[in-house]
Amino acid sequence: MKAIKLLLIAIVALAAGTLNANAGGPIKFGPKVGITVNDLHFNNDLFESNNRTGWTAGLMLEGTVPVIGIGADLSLMYVRRNSEFMLQNNISTDNRDYIEIPLNIKYKFSLPAVNRILVPYLAVGPSVSFLTSKKNIENAYRNKSVDWAINFGLGVQLFSHLDINARYGLGLTKAINALPGDQGGPAGIEGKNRYWTITLGYLF
């Protein structure tokens, strides 16, 4: 876990340096919307989770260092992550709402022939989500208030304004815990978020 924290600190420091280096140039911002496909990854087979589709919407800020193609973006997103799980032959749903703040380091590929039209990029970075919906679910488990993840993504920017992005989020911390004793499922049950997010943004 210490290595993960050091990695997150390094990524945040690099992002801050990128935005600072770009202070003399244009910093873009704009709205972004998309869909999410979420799966809770449990540490016990007694819980079975199915992929469910949700949605996300919010704002994004982006800066890029000229010439070398390295940049960073920071977003503030409202996210609905839907889950369906089975416990003791009973199917339940958990529709969780979060405020998510993802920070990504980007590398934009330079394609001289088409740069004014199309710029592909790769991205990686940490994300923190704050739960805004209820914690206890169906007398089975409790959602955690804060969830950390790391995202791996790719995307393309069209005509310098339209941003299309797909990323995979790998949960680093426990998103859920089983309720203690006879209130919920078996003791020791833990779950982490795994999710795909596809977004469409417009940058001014």
Side-chain angles (χ1 to χ4, degrees):
M1 202 63 187
K2 185 177 180 180
I4 293 174
K5 290 180 179 179
L6 290 174
L7 175 62
L8 296 181
I9 292 171
I11 290 174
V12 170
L14 180 57
T18 297
L19 291 174
N20 184 62
N22 191 59
I27 293 181
K28 300 179 181 179
F29 71 94
K32 160 166 96 165
V33 297
I35 61 171
T36 66
V37 180
N38 188 76
D39 177 40
L40 277 171
H41 183 76
F42 292 99
N43 65 342
N44 191 307
D45 291 339
L46 290 175
F47 275 85
E48 296 181 8
S49 177
N50 297 320
N51 293 339
R52 292 291 301 273
T53 302
W55 57 272
T56 183
L59 296 171
M60 179 174 74
L61 177 72
E62 181 196 68
T64 305
V65 178
V67 182
I68 64 175
I70 295 178
D73 71 60
L74 181 68
S75 300
L76 180 65
M77 307 295 294
Y78 190 90
V79 182
R80 165 66 61 90
R81 291 188 181 133
N82 297 328
S83 299
E84 180 181 82
F85 66 93
M86 180 177 291
L87 174 63
Q88 299 174 348
N89 297 320
N90 294 319
I91 297 178
S92 299
T93 58
D94 180 6
N95 301 324
R96 290 165 293 145
D97 296 329
Y98 292 91
I99 298 296
E100 182 186 18
I101 306 174
L103 172 65
N104 293 300
I105 299 299
K106 291 179 173 178
Y107 178 75
K108 295 184 177 181
F109 294 92
S110 178
L111 305 174
V114 295
N115 257 8
R116 292 185 179 181
I117 301 173
L118 181 151
V119 179
Y121 63 84
L122 297 176
V124 62
S127 173
V128 59
S129 299
F130 301 95
L131 184 72
T132 61
S133 56
K134 61 182 180 180
K135 288 188 176 183
N136 291 1
I137 303 299
E138 298 290 340
N139 295 320
Y141 64 78
R142 174 174 293 145
N143 289 313
K144 304 289 283 185
S145 298
V146 180
D147 182 34
W148 282 91
I150 188 164
N151 295 316
F152 304 90
L154 54 86
V156 62
Q157 289 189 349
L158 303 175
F159 304 102
S160 299
H161 294 289
L162 196 64
D163 185 276
I164 303 171
N165 177 269
R167 59 186 169 94
Y168 180 73
L170 183 66
L172 300 177
T173 56
K174 293 177 289 187
I176 66 108
N177 272 340
L179 291 172
D182 58 2
Q183 299 182 51
I189 295 292
E190 299 173 355
K192 295 182 179 180
N193 279 317
R194 303 283 191 273
Y195 53 87
W196 282 97
T197 305
I198 300 173
T199 57
L200 174 66
Y202 188 87
L203 299 173
F204 295 94

